[in-house]
mmCIF file of all heavy atoms in Angstrom:
data_model
loop_
_atom_site.group_PDB
_atom_site.id
_atom_site.type_symbol
_atom_site.label_atom_id
_atom_site.label_comp_id
_atom_site.label_asym_id
_atom_site.label_seq_id
_atom_site.Cartn_x
_atom_site.Cartn_y
_atom_site.Cartn_z
ATOM 1 N N GLY A 196 69.585 121.313 93.253
ATOM 2 C CA GLY A 196 69.848 119.898 93.543
ATOM 3 C C GLY A 196 68.893 119.256 94.531
ATOM 4 O O GLY A 196 69.223 118.228 95.119
ATOM 5 N N LEU A 197 67.709 119.811 94.720
ATOM 6 C CA LEU A 197 66.727 119.279 95.684
ATOM 7 C C LEU A 197 66.110 117.984 95.181
ATOM 8 O O LEU A 197 65.762 117.875 94.021
ATOM 9 C CB LEU A 197 65.593 120.283 95.890
ATOM 10 C CG LEU A 197 65.656 121.227 97.075
ATOM 11 C CD1 LEU A 197 64.467 122.154 97.028
ATOM 12 C CD2 LEU A 197 65.681 120.454 98.380
ATOM 13 N N SER A 198 65.923 117.023 96.088
ATOM 14 C CA SER A 198 65.198 115.802 95.735
ATOM 15 C C SER A 198 64.757 115.112 97.020
ATOM 16 O O SER A 198 65.336 115.349 98.078
ATOM 17 C CB SER A 198 66.077 114.871 94.909
ATOM 18 O OG SER A 198 67.219 114.492 95.655
ATOM 19 N N PRO A 199 63.741 114.230 96.940
ATOM 20 C CA PRO A 199 63.339 113.482 98.131
ATOM 21 C C PRO A 199 64.520 112.672 98.635
ATOM 22 O O PRO A 199 65.185 111.972 97.876
ATOM 23 C CB PRO A 199 62.229 112.551 97.609
ATOM 24 C CG PRO A 199 61.726 113.223 96.385
ATOM 25 C CD PRO A 199 62.902 113.920 95.767
ATOM 26 N N VAL A 200 64.799 112.771 99.925
ATOM 27 C CA VAL A 200 66.038 112.219 100.455
ATOM 28 C C VAL A 200 65.948 110.696 100.580
ATOM 29 O O VAL A 200 64.906 110.147 100.931
ATOM 30 C CB VAL A 200 66.363 112.879 101.818
ATOM 31 C CG1 VAL A 200 65.359 112.492 102.876
ATOM 32 C CG2 VAL A 200 67.762 112.638 102.244
ATOM 33 N N GLN A 201 67.054 110.017 100.216
ATOM 34 C CA GLN A 201 67.077 108.543 100.250
ATOM 35 C C GLN A 201 68.046 107.981 101.266
ATOM 36 O O GLN A 201 67.921 106.819 101.664
ATOM 37 C CB GLN A 201 67.508 108.010 98.879
ATOM 38 C CG GLN A 201 66.539 108.334 97.749
ATOM 39 C CD GLN A 201 67.015 107.760 96.444
ATOM 40 O OE1 GLN A 201 67.178 106.546 96.314
ATOM 41 N NE2 GLN A 201 67.268 108.611 95.473
ATOM 42 N N SER A 202 69.039 108.765 101.665
ATOM 43 C CA SER A 202 70.113 108.194 102.504
ATOM 44 C C SER A 202 69.795 108.217 103.985
ATOM 45 O O SER A 202 70.546 107.673 104.794
ATOM 46 C CB SER A 202 71.414 108.964 102.257
ATOM 47 O OG SER A 202 71.229 110.338 102.600
ATOM 48 N N ILE A 203 68.690 108.874 104.369
ATOM 49 C CA ILE A 203 68.253 108.856 105.781
ATOM 50 C C ILE A 203 66.770 108.489 105.820
ATOM 51 O O ILE A 203 66.120 108.403 104.793
ATOM 52 C CB ILE A 203 68.484 110.202 106.497
ATOM 53 C CG1 ILE A 203 67.691 111.332 105.790
ATOM 54 C CG2 ILE A 203 69.967 110.549 106.574
ATOM 55 C CD1 ILE A 203 67.705 112.650 106.546
ATOM 56 N N ARG A 204 66.250 108.242 107.020
ATOM 57 C CA ARG A 204 64.844 107.817 107.183
ATOM 58 C C ARG A 204 63.948 109.077 107.146
ATOM 59 O O ARG A 204 63.697 109.704 108.158
ATOM 60 C CB ARG A 204 64.688 107.099 108.517
ATOM 61 C CG ARG A 204 65.474 105.800 108.621
ATOM 62 C CD ARG A 204 65.483 105.267 110.038
ATOM 63 N NE ARG A 204 66.277 106.082 110.950
ATOM 64 C CZ ARG A 204 66.396 105.814 112.249
ATOM 65 N NH1 ARG A 204 65.791 104.768 112.777
ATOM 66 N NH2 ARG A 204 67.137 106.625 113.021
ATOM 67 N N SER A 205 63.477 109.404 105.945
ATOM 68 C CA SER A 205 62.788 110.689 105.772
ATOM 69 C C SER A 205 61.534 110.807 106.648
ATOM 70 O O SER A 205 61.158 111.914 107.064
ATOM 71 C CB SER A 205 62.435 110.933 104.307
ATOM 72 O OG SER A 205 61.673 109.848 103.805
ATOM 73 N N SER A 206 60.896 109.676 106.956
ATOM 74 C CA SER A 206 59.664 109.728 107.741
ATOM 75 C C SER A 206 59.876 110.277 109.150
ATOM 76 O O SER A 206 58.928 110.653 109.831
ATOM 77 C CB SER A 206 59.046 108.330 107.819
ATOM 78 O OG SER A 206 59.940 107.462 108.466
ATOM 79 N N LYS A 207 61.136 110.302 109.572
ATOM 80 C CA LYS A 207 61.430 110.784 110.934
ATOM 81 C C LYS A 207 61.558 112.296 111.000
ATOM 82 O O LYS A 207 61.847 112.860 112.062
ATOM 83 C CB LYS A 207 62.744 110.156 111.425
ATOM 84 C CG LYS A 207 62.699 108.651 111.609
ATOM 85 C CD LYS A 207 61.957 108.286 112.871
ATOM 86 C CE LYS A 207 62.073 106.826 113.222
ATOM 87 N NZ LYS A 207 61.401 106.518 114.505
ATOM 88 N N PHE A 208 61.438 112.960 109.842
ATOM 89 C CA PHE A 208 61.714 114.401 109.788
ATOM 90 C C PHE A 208 60.569 115.147 109.096
ATOM 91 O O PHE A 208 59.840 114.589 108.280
ATOM 92 C CB PHE A 208 63.032 114.646 109.027
ATOM 93 C CG PHE A 208 64.191 113.868 109.580
ATOM 94 C CD1 PHE A 208 64.525 112.625 109.057
ATOM 95 C CD2 PHE A 208 64.914 114.367 110.652
ATOM 96 C CE1 PHE A 208 65.578 111.889 109.572
ATOM 97 C CE2 PHE A 208 65.972 113.647 111.180
ATOM 98 C CZ PHE A 208 66.315 112.401 110.653
ATOM 99 N N ASN A 209 60.442 116.434 109.401
ATOM 100 C CA ASN A 209 59.462 117.277 108.737
ATOM 101 C C ASN A 209 59.928 117.630 107.328
ATOM 102 O O ASN A 209 59.170 117.559 106.371
ATOM 103 C CB ASN A 209 59.232 118.558 109.545
ATOM 104 C CG ASN A 209 58.705 118.247 110.942
ATOM 105 O OD1 ASN A 209 57.603 117.756 111.088
ATOM 106 N ND2 ASN A 209 59.516 118.509 111.950
ATOM 107 N N VAL A 210 61.182 118.033 107.218
ATOM 108 C CA VAL A 210 61.751 118.350 105.898
ATOM 109 C C VAL A 210 62.278 117.065 105.283
ATOM 110 O O VAL A 210 63.191 116.428 105.846
ATOM 111 C CB VAL A 210 62.885 119.402 106.024
ATOM 112 C CG1 VAL A 210 63.614 119.564 104.714
ATOM 113 C CG2 VAL A 210 62.314 120.725 106.480
ATOM 114 N N GLN A 211 61.704 116.674 104.145
ATOM 115 C CA GLN A 211 62.033 115.365 103.573
ATOM 116 C C GLN A 211 62.703 115.467 102.191
ATOM 117 O O GLN A 211 62.986 114.449 101.566
ATOM 118 C CB GLN A 211 60.757 114.522 103.494
ATOM 119 C CG GLN A 211 60.139 114.330 104.889
ATOM 120 C CD GLN A 211 58.960 113.395 104.867
ATOM 121 O OE1 GLN A 211 58.469 112.987 103.813
ATOM 122 N NE2 GLN A 211 58.479 113.030 106.056
ATOM 123 N N SER A 212 62.924 116.677 101.725
ATOM 124 C CA SER A 212 63.692 116.878 100.507
ATOM 125 C C SER A 212 64.917 117.708 100.842
ATOM 126 O O SER A 212 64.813 118.733 101.507
ATOM 127 C CB SER A 212 62.866 117.617 99.443
ATOM 128 O OG SER A 212 61.938 116.742 98.870
ATOM 129 N N LEU A 213 66.066 117.202 100.405
ATOM 130 C CA LEU A 213 67.319 117.908 100.686
ATOM 131 C C LEU A 213 68.184 117.872 99.414
ATOM 132 O O LEU A 213 67.785 117.347 98.382
ATOM 133 C CB LEU A 213 68.057 117.257 101.864
ATOM 134 C CG LEU A 213 67.373 117.401 103.222
ATOM 135 C CD1 LEU A 213 68.065 116.516 104.278
ATOM 136 C CD2 LEU A 213 67.371 118.847 103.690
ATOM 137 N N TYR A 214 69.396 118.418 99.543
ATOM 138 C CA TYR A 214 70.261 118.526 98.384
ATOM 139 C C TYR A 214 71.238 117.343 98.369
ATOM 140 O O TYR A 214 72.426 117.468 98.664
ATOM 141 C CB TYR A 214 71.010 119.848 98.418
ATOM 142 C CG TYR A 214 70.097 121.059 98.401
ATOM 143 C CD1 TYR A 214 69.441 121.503 99.537
ATOM 144 C CD2 TYR A 214 69.885 121.744 97.204
ATOM 145 C CE1 TYR A 214 68.589 122.604 99.502
ATOM 146 C CE2 TYR A 214 69.055 122.862 97.165
ATOM 147 C CZ TYR A 214 68.405 123.275 98.309
ATOM 148 O OH TYR A 214 67.571 124.366 98.274
ATOM 149 N N GLU A 215 70.714 116.198 97.993
ATOM 150 C CA GLU A 215 71.420 114.943 98.127
ATOM 151 C C GLU A 215 72.132 114.563 96.819
ATOM 152 O O GLU A 215 71.596 114.790 95.733
ATOM 153 C CB GLU A 215 70.423 113.851 98.508
ATOM 154 C CG GLU A 215 71.018 112.570 99.033
ATOM 155 C CD GLU A 215 69.913 111.627 99.513
ATOM 156 O OE1 GLU A 215 69.001 111.366 98.697
ATOM 157 O OE2 GLU A 215 69.971 111.155 100.658
ATOM 158 N N ILE A 216 73.337 113.991 96.923
ATOM 159 C CA ILE A 216 74.029 113.489 95.723
ATOM 160 C C ILE A 216 73.381 112.167 95.364
ATOM 161 O O ILE A 216 73.213 111.277 96.208
ATOM 162 C CB ILE A 216 75.534 113.313 96.016
ATOM 163 C CG1 ILE A 216 76.188 114.674 96.154
ATOM 164 C CG2 ILE A 216 76.216 112.491 94.915
ATOM 165 C CD1 ILE A 216 77.626 114.650 96.628
ATOM 166 N N ASP A 217 73.030 112.037 94.103
ATOM 167 C CA ASP A 217 72.232 110.895 93.675
ATOM 168 C C ASP A 217 73.108 109.680 93.397
ATOM 169 O O ASP A 217 73.185 109.187 92.287
ATOM 170 C CB ASP A 217 71.466 111.304 92.401
ATOM 171 C CG ASP A 217 70.417 110.258 92.036
ATOM 172 O OD1 ASP A 217 70.008 109.486 92.926
ATOM 173 O OD2 ASP A 217 70.040 110.221 90.850
ATOM 174 N N ASP A 218 73.834 109.214 94.416
ATOM 175 C CA ASP A 218 74.741 108.070 94.206
ATOM 176 C C ASP A 218 75.346 107.667 95.567
ATOM 177 O O ASP A 218 75.087 108.292 96.574
ATOM 178 C CB ASP A 218 75.870 108.487 93.264
ATOM 179 C CG ASP A 218 76.476 107.276 92.570
ATOM 180 O OD1 ASP A 218 76.220 106.116 93.000
ATOM 181 O OD2 ASP A 218 77.229 107.471 91.593
ATOM 182 N N TYR A 219 76.135 106.626 95.524
ATOM 183 C CA TYR A 219 76.858 106.150 96.714
ATOM 184 C C TYR A 219 75.904 105.600 97.781
ATOM 185 O O TYR A 219 76.295 105.440 98.935
ATOM 186 C CB TYR A 219 77.734 107.248 97.348
ATOM 187 C CG TYR A 219 78.728 107.856 96.381
ATOM 188 C CD1 TYR A 219 78.401 108.974 95.641
ATOM 189 C CD2 TYR A 219 79.979 107.265 96.196
ATOM 190 C CE1 TYR A 219 79.285 109.498 94.723
ATOM 191 C CE2 TYR A 219 80.868 107.805 95.297
ATOM 192 C CZ TYR A 219 80.517 108.925 94.557
ATOM 193 O OH TYR A 219 81.407 109.441 93.653
ATOM 194 N N PHE A 220 74.669 105.295 97.408
ATOM 195 C CA PHE A 220 73.718 104.847 98.434
ATOM 196 C C PHE A 220 74.055 103.465 98.957
ATOM 197 O O PHE A 220 73.618 103.077 100.014
ATOM 198 C CB PHE A 220 72.278 104.879 97.898
ATOM 199 C CG PHE A 220 71.800 106.272 97.574
ATOM 200 C CD1 PHE A 220 71.367 106.599 96.310
ATOM 201 C CD2 PHE A 220 71.811 107.250 98.540
ATOM 202 C CE1 PHE A 220 70.932 107.888 96.005
ATOM 203 C CE2 PHE A 220 71.389 108.555 98.260
ATOM 204 C CZ PHE A 220 70.940 108.870 96.978
ATOM 205 N N ASN A 221 74.796 102.695 98.139
ATOM 206 C CA ASN A 221 75.150 101.344 98.602
ATOM 207 C C ASN A 221 76.394 101.333 99.472
ATOM 208 O O ASN A 221 76.761 100.288 99.989
ATOM 209 C CB ASN A 221 75.369 100.417 97.403
ATOM 210 C CG ASN A 221 74.061 100.175 96.665
ATOM 211 O OD1 ASN A 221 73.007 100.178 97.273
ATOM 212 N ND2 ASN A 221 74.149 99.980 95.360
ATOM 213 N N GLU A 222 77.046 102.450 99.586
ATOM 214 C CA GLU A 222 78.263 102.517 100.394
ATOM 215 C C GLU A 222 77.923 102.500 101.877
ATOM 216 O O GLU A 222 77.038 103.189 102.330
ATOM 217 C CB GLU A 222 79.029 103.808 100.079
ATOM 218 C CG GLU A 222 79.521 103.918 98.641
ATOM 219 C CD GLU A 222 80.670 102.987 98.369
ATOM 220 O OE1 GLU A 222 81.277 102.464 99.325
ATOM 221 O OE2 GLU A 222 80.976 102.780 97.176
ATOM 222 N N GLU A 223 78.691 101.725 102.636
ATOM 223 C CA GLU A 223 78.472 101.674 104.089
ATOM 224 C C GLU A 223 78.933 103.003 104.712
ATOM 225 O O GLU A 223 78.256 103.557 105.588
ATOM 226 C CB GLU A 223 79.255 100.530 104.704
ATOM 227 C CG GLU A 223 78.702 99.178 104.345
ATOM 228 C CD GLU A 223 79.113 98.106 105.332
ATOM 229 O OE1 GLU A 223 80.134 98.280 106.028
ATOM 230 O OE2 GLU A 223 78.408 97.084 105.407
ATOM 231 N N LEU A 224 80.094 103.457 104.262
ATOM 232 C CA LEU A 224 80.620 104.731 104.781
ATOM 233 C C LEU A 224 80.566 105.719 103.621
ATOM 234 O O LEU A 224 81.523 105.868 102.853
ATOM 235 C CB LEU A 224 82.047 104.550 105.296
ATOM 236 C CG LEU A 224 82.216 103.484 106.375
ATOM 237 C CD1 LEU A 224 83.676 103.373 106.827
ATOM 238 C CD2 LEU A 224 81.338 103.752 107.574
ATOM 239 N N ARG A 225 79.456 106.399 103.509
ATOM 240 C CA ARG A 225 79.139 107.158 102.302
ATOM 241 C C ARG A 225 80.037 108.367 102.085
ATOM 242 O O ARG A 225 80.530 108.602 100.979
ATOM 243 C CB ARG A 225 77.676 107.588 102.356
ATOM 244 C CG ARG A 225 77.107 108.046 101.076
ATOM 245 C CD ARG A 225 75.608 107.813 100.975
ATOM 246 N NE ARG A 225 75.105 108.565 99.828
ATOM 247 C CZ ARG A 225 74.638 109.800 99.899
ATOM 248 N NH1 ARG A 225 74.558 110.402 101.075
ATOM 249 N NH2 ARG A 225 74.257 110.450 98.816
ATOM 250 N N VAL A 226 80.262 109.173 103.098
ATOM 251 C CA VAL A 226 81.056 110.376 102.901
ATOM 252 C C VAL A 226 82.529 110.001 102.668
ATOM 253 O O VAL A 226 83.239 110.656 101.909
ATOM 254 C CB VAL A 226 80.901 111.393 104.056
ATOM 255 C CG1 VAL A 226 81.602 110.916 105.343
ATOM 256 C CG2 VAL A 226 81.404 112.756 103.653
#
Side-chain angles (χ1 to χ4, degrees):
Chain A
L197 263 177
S198 61
V200 68
Q201 296 180 61
S202 61
I203 60 172
R204 297 169 290 179
S205 56
S206 60
K207 295 284 189 177
F208 306 94
N209 299 294
V210 171
Q211 301 186 351
S212 284
L213 292 171
Y214 299 80
E215 195 174 54
I216 289 172
D217 190 22
D218 204 346
Y219 304 92
F220 295 122
N221 293 329
E222 297 287 346
E223 290 202 337
L224 303 180
R225 195 152 167 268
V226 72

